[in-house]
Amino acid sequence: MKRSRLRSPSGSGWTFGVAVWLALVVSACGTSADPDGDSQAKSPAGGSSSGGSSSEPGGSASGGKSAPSGGSGTNGGSSSGQGSAGKAAGGGGAPVVSTFPDAQAYVDAHNQVRAAVQKPASYSGNWEPLPDVRWSDEVAGTAQEWANHLRDSMNCDLEHAQASGYGENLAGGGGLGAKQAVELWASELANYTYAAKYQFMSNTGHYTQIVWRKSTSIGCGKAECGRSAVVVCRYDPPGNVIGGSIF
């Protein structure tokens, strides 16, 4: 059982969308944070619409976000040109050196998904395998802060931060760890079809953020609310740039 919310563009000189997927995992006892199991999305005006939602510039967003062509996506749908440069501390096959719990597990899970990407049949140009992501304590610090906020203020409900400067994926549910969260996002591969110019699709936003070629620095955090947990992963620079190249 899953619940998702996603926000897309509206009313700005920039044409862009911030897309967010929030996936809630059914807990071991068969319950979920989504009591009815329906898919929901918030519209720019704050109403609800089934299947997806949109976000005004500066609004919050969840999951794979998108940004203006030529810019980089930020939490909340604004564009700041480039994401903040995190301090990379591992990747490229090297062990991660960090005090953050499960840092290695997050890096390994992301790199496993990225390593599986093959050259699309319609891809033009020279193909190179996707580079590994590297862990950033700086990025992870912001992710952990937001996970703590979701725990302390929202009882581990899923809501995106505004204008963090990073891409962001969220997941929540019982028994959720690093590997499970990344696998949940990566399962959207089944819905993905390559296009030379990226266009956001509501059912692939988490996956496309994971495999966005230029998103090579990550940091993740986790917070628990009783038997449930929330996982926040952030990406620098942000991916899902509308009109850009995913690979």
Side-chain angles (χ1 to χ4, degrees):
M1 189 179 299
K2 298 179 181 178
R3 184 174 69 184
S4 62
R5 297 175 186 163
L6 85 101
R7 301 174 187 259
S8 57
S10 73
S12 168
W14 291 93
T15 302
F16 65 96
V18 175
V20 181
W21 272 92
L22 306 180
L24 288 124
V25 184
V26 179
S27 68
C29 63
T31 61
S32 168
D34 180 14
D36 56 12
D38 292 337
S39 182
Q40 262 188 342
K42 293 185 178 179
S43 68
S48 62
S49 61
S50 64
S53 69
S54 58
S55 172
E56 303 164 282
S60 57
S62 330
K65 306 183 188 73
S66 53
S69 177
S72 54
T74 62
N75 279 350
S78 59
S79 173
S80 60
Q82 293 183 352
S84 303
K87 297 177 181 178
V96 175
V97 179
S98 176
T99 59
F100 280 83
D102 298 323
Q104 186 74 61
Y106 284 112
V107 167
D108 289 347
H110 278 80
N111 285 337
Q112 183 176 359
V113 177
R114 290 169 70 91
V117 175
Q118 301 294 315
K119 179 181 179 180
S122 60
Y123 184 88
S124 60
N126 295 325
W127 174 261
E128 294 183 3
L130 298 186
D132 284 346
V133 297
R134 295 171 61 86
W135 182 263
S136 165
D137 278 354
E138 181 177 325
V139 177
T142 71
Q144 186 61 57
E145 287 176 1
W146 190 247
N148 292 345
H149 166 77
L150 296 179
R151 176 197 64 201
D152 298 339
S153 300
M154 301 187 65
N155 194 33
C156 288
D157 195 6
L158 303 181
E159 182 70 34
H160 272 279
Q162 297 184 19
S164 74
Y166 301 112
E168 183 176 85
N169 279 347
L170 304 179
L176 191 67
K179 188 173 185 290
Q180 292 82 0
V182 176
E183 287 178 345
L184 184 62
W185 300 327
S187 68
E188 295 173 353
L189 168 61
N191 306 316
Y192 177 68
T193 300
Y194 170 77
K197 292 186 177 181
Y198 177 79
Q199 292 297 325
F200 171 76
M201 298 294 291
S202 63
N203 59 350
T204 61
H206 286 116
Y207 171 74
T208 54
Q209 174 59 85
I210 290 175
V211 300
W212 196 267
R213 179 179 288 275
K214 294 182 179 179
S215 294
T216 55
S217 184
I218 71 166
C220 305
K222 177 181 175 180
E224 297 181 348
C225 297
R227 298 176 64 184
S228 183
V230 59
V231 171
V232 179
C233 282
R234 288 184 170 176
Y235 304 83
D236 186 31
N240 291 6
V241 179
I242 290 180
S245 175
I246 182 172
F247 301 136

